[in-house]
Amino acid sequence: MQAINFGCSGFHLQNRSSRVLSTSAGFSNKKGTACIIGTPRDSFFGSRLSSGHMGLELGRFGAAADVGSVFHSSVKSRSIKAQASDGEVAPLKSQPKSSGSVLPYVGVASLGAILFGYHLGVVNGALEYLAKDLGWVVSSLLAGATVGSFTGGSLADQFGRTKTFLLDAIPLAIGAFLCATATNVQTMIVGRLLAGIGIGISSAIVPLYISEISPTEIRGTLGSINQLFICVGILAALVAGLPLAGNPLWWRTMFAIAVIPSVLLALGMAFSPESPRWLVQQRKIGQAEKAIKTLYGEGKVAEVMADLSASGQGSEEQDAGWFDLFSGRYFKVVSVGAALFLFQQMAGINAVVYYSTSVFRTAGVASDVAASALVGAANVFGTMIASSLMDKQGRKSLLMTSFSGMAISMLLLSLSFTWKVLAPYSGPLAVIGTVLYVLSFSLGAGPVPALLLPEIFASRIRAKAVALSLGMHWISNFVIGLYFLSVVTNFGISKVYLGFASICLLAVMYIAGNVVETKGRSLEDIERELSPAI
């Protein structure tokens, strides 16, 4: 059975013959192809929730909660705070009750995250039945994702968030159809390339849209759903591959299944409201008010419009160009976004998942199914915990805790391979280190960067800056996958793990000095602090 581990930035699959498939396309041989792939959210009313379901139990979200305030019409009036122009925090007026509901639209957008995970995971069992040259088939997905991630930002700025989702459904559906009906490797490569473009766009647009429509108080919780449903998509692909052993042609059905959520994504987005922030930026005031009414209720229209206008989003500033991202006004926040994804990739998630199966076998866990279940459970469990803490502990705190735990885990893994005094316990220690690392990763380093980026970027650069950061993520993922095995061969896995531990500690220091906390703050408040109008 396949072993699986994944995060927003880390992805590992191993099939029955222990072949590690890689979208990094840097190294392949007759026995298989190694690959590492990764990837890879606001309203103005103060509803909190303690528990809720999106088809999955997300766990406790914290005290003082009421999920009905999001689903239905009871939102308690309260005073919120906005950053005044002189830097002081001033209370705003009490808020009227809301009858809006954002969760159905978050659910529709999450179909993009499910498709992201499914298209990553579907290759796990299927490729051994359809091609001998796995390298091109697997790496074409990464190539398409890189193109799609850069393209997604421009499309979102030009056509809006919902229309970009509609466009995204086209390569996702066509790519899946071509893969399902392919009669040769060339057609399969084209299909995977199109699917890659689709998931590249999804990686940028899903967290962006969720961030822009989610209530401030639960934006972190809803934003982390993106990560959770990527996990769900990969697990769905794993389950979909179970009949392959008895039916070698089942791989066609596996690819065909992906057409269904693609169509549902398009249909759902056809009836979903556009981001009010994008509409105000485009000076479509009437449409923005209608979207606000749909999302938050009629009583919120005047308040939200006032906040959007106060943030400067209705000003004469046009959408930013790509070169504006490197201007003095925006360079710091853009560099923070790129650095978070760079640390995410350089922290060793791909190394841990690459060696996870061999680590478990050394410890006596010979079953790939058991290894897959253990690692997958740690990742999903950590993501659920992160969802419950995102709006309680904050993004910055989770990031620092996550990278600290990853550093400790890497040190434990390194010592388990080298210290003779630990030799009798090396197997169990390696398993503990691996599970602890995956759990730590899923608590912050996995879900937080994709959530935090849309929050810290100003409205006029948000789509392009998110796309740029995710594009750099895909590229760094490719480069790391290309050279990882040669580095391990030259230096040994123990020293490589020590290097990863050092990078994790550097990440903690960088985050402490450069990342701002966004918990409980509106996107407009954050924008006024980090990217004030000139």
Side-chain angles (χ1 to χ4, degrees):
M1 191 59 213
Q2 300 98 324
I4 185 170
N5 181 19
F6 42 84
C8 226
S9 73
F11 172 72
H12 164 74
L13 295 169
Q14 185 157 347
N15 61 23
R16 299 176 184 84
S17 57
S18 301
R19 293 181 295 183
V20 179
L21 306 179
S22 172
T23 52
S24 298
F27 38 92
S28 63
N29 54 36
K30 294 180 181 180
K31 295 183 179 180
T33 300
C35 113
I36 302 161
I37 188 167
T39 59
R41 310 171 188 284
D42 166 347
S43 157
F44 303 79
F45 57 92
S47 53
R48 294 176 182 265
L49 50 85
S50 63
S51 65
H53 295 267
M54 288 282 297
L56 290 173
E57 175 64 34
L58 299 184
R60 279 228 172 273
F61 294 142
D66 185 3
V67 72
S69 62
V70 182
F71 276 108
H72 302 298
S73 61
S74 61
V75 175
K76 296 181 179 179
S77 297
R78 72 177 187 86
S79 173
I80 63 173
K81 295 181 179 180
Q83 188 73 28
S85 57
D86 60 359
E88 296 180 354
V89 176
L92 291 179
K93 61 183 181 180
S94 294
Q95 302 184 32
K97 290 184 178 181
S98 168
S99 60
S101 176
V102 300
L103 289 188
Y105 310 113
V106 171
V108 172
S110 295
L111 287 172
I114 292 175
L115 283 163
F116 186 141
Y118 189 86
H119 277 291
L120 292 180
V122 74
V123 300
N124 186 33
L127 283 181
E128 63 179 304
Y129 294 92
L130 54 90
K132 294 181 179 179
D133 185 8
L134 303 182
W136 283 104
V137 175
V138 179
S139 61
S140 58
L141 186 80
L142 180 61
T146 303
V147 173
S149 61
F150 281 111
T151 305
S154 296
L155 291 175
D157 277 340
Q158 181 69 31
F159 301 107
R161 292 21 173 175
T162 55
K163 286 186 175 63
T164 301
F165 273 111
L166 292 173
L167 293 172
D168 186 29
I170 296 174
L172 285 171
I174 295 178
F177 177 79
L178 289 177
C179 291
T181 59
T183 57
N184 52 61
V185 174
Q186 289 75 19
T187 303
M188 177 63 67
I189 290 174
V190 172
R192 294 294 287 170
L193 182 65
L194 289 174
I197 291 173
I199 68 171
I201 296 174
S202 293
S203 69
I205 195 66
V206 172
L208 175 65
Y209 181 73
I210 292 177
S211 175
E212 290 188 335
I213 70 169
S214 295
T216 298
E217 296 289 338
I218 56 171
R219 190 175 62 235
T221 297
L222 295 183
S224 59
I225 285 176
N226 176 57
Q227 163 80 355
L228 182 61
F229 278 97
I230 291 175
C231 300
V232 170
I234 296 178
L235 289 175
L238 179 66
V239 173
L242 293 178
L244 274 172
N247 182 7
L249 294 179
W250 180 254
W251 63 266
R252 294 190 182 275
T253 303
M254 292 174 61
F255 283 109
I257 289 173
V259 176
I260 299 174
S262 302
V263 174
L264 292 176
L265 176 65
L267 292 175
M269 277 299 160
F271 296 97
S272 296
E274 182 55 78
S275 164
R277 290 170 171 80
W278 181 81
L279 291 170
V280 170
Q281 186 70 28
Q282 302 300 312
R283 299 174 180 82
K284 298 179 179 180
I285 305 303
Q287 296 181 41
E289 292 176 344
K290 182 178 179 181
I292 293 168
K293 180 179 178 181
T294 301
L295 290 167
Y296 317 127
E298 188 172 1
K300 305 292 298 181
V301 174
E303 179 185 338
V304 175
M305 288 300 299
D307 203 2
L308 289 173
S309 299
S311 72
Q313 291 194 58
S315 68
E316 294 301 315
E317 290 186 296
Q318 301 295 321
D319 288 338
W322 286 102
F323 289 108
D324 291 327
L325 302 182
F326 305 99
S327 65
R329 180 180 176 187
Y330 299 120
F331 179 76
K332 182 176 180 179
V333 291
V334 172
S335 64
V336 168
L340 286 178
F341 273 117
L342 183 61
F343 279 124
Q344 186 192 65
Q345 288 297 293
M346 296 295 293
I349 180 63
N350 293 315
V352 170
V353 298
Y354 183 82
Y355 279 96
S356 61
T357 301
S358 61
V359 165
F360 290 137
R361 286 177 177 170
T362 301
V365 182
S367 171
D368 286 350
V369 176
S372 174
L374 188 58
V375 174
N379 191 65
V380 173
F381 178 73
T383 302
M384 292 167 62
I385 296 298
S387 296
S388 68
L389 296 177
M390 203 71 72
D391 291 309
K392 186 177 181 180
Q393 299 298 323
R395 287 63 152 159
K396 185 174 182 178
S397 174
L398 286 178
L399 276 175
M400 295 179 66
T401 301
S402 176
F403 277 106
S404 297
M406 291 160 65
I408 294 173
S409 304
M410 278 295 183
L411 181 61
L412 181 61
L413 283 167
S414 178
L415 294 178
S416 70
F417 284 115
T418 55
W419 275 23
K420 293 183 179 180
V421 68
L422 297 177
Y425 315 102
S426 61
L429 286 176
V431 171
I432 293 172
T434 298
V435 174
L436 180 61
Y437 181 91
V438 173
L439 183 62
S440 299
F441 176 86
S442 62
L443 283 174
V448 171
L451 162 65
L452 188 65
L453 265 58
E455 295 182 323
I456 65 175
F457 294 145
S459 177
R460 67 187 297 261
I461 69 165
R462 187 171 293 138
K464 288 187 176 68
V466 169
L468 176 65
S469 299
L470 286 166
M472 296 303 295
H473 160 85
W474 288 103
I475 292 175
S476 62
N477 196 303
F478 175 83
V479 173
I480 292 170
L482 189 65
Y483 293 105
F484 172 69
L485 287 183
S486 61
V487 172
V488 171
T489 301
N490 292 329
F491 297 97
I493 189 61
S494 179
K495 291 182 179 178
V496 171
Y497 278 172
L498 280 177
F500 287 144
S502 301
I503 292 173
C504 290
L505 292 177
L506 287 175
V508 172
M509 292 186 288
Y510 179 85
I511 292 165
N514 295 278
V515 175
V516 299
E517 183 53 69
T518 59
K519 177 191 67 173
R521 304 174 63 187
S522 72
L523 298 184
E524 288 65 46
D525 182 13
I526 300 167
E527 178 175 343
R528 282 189 288 266
E529 176 184 342
L530 298 181
S531 304
I534 297 175

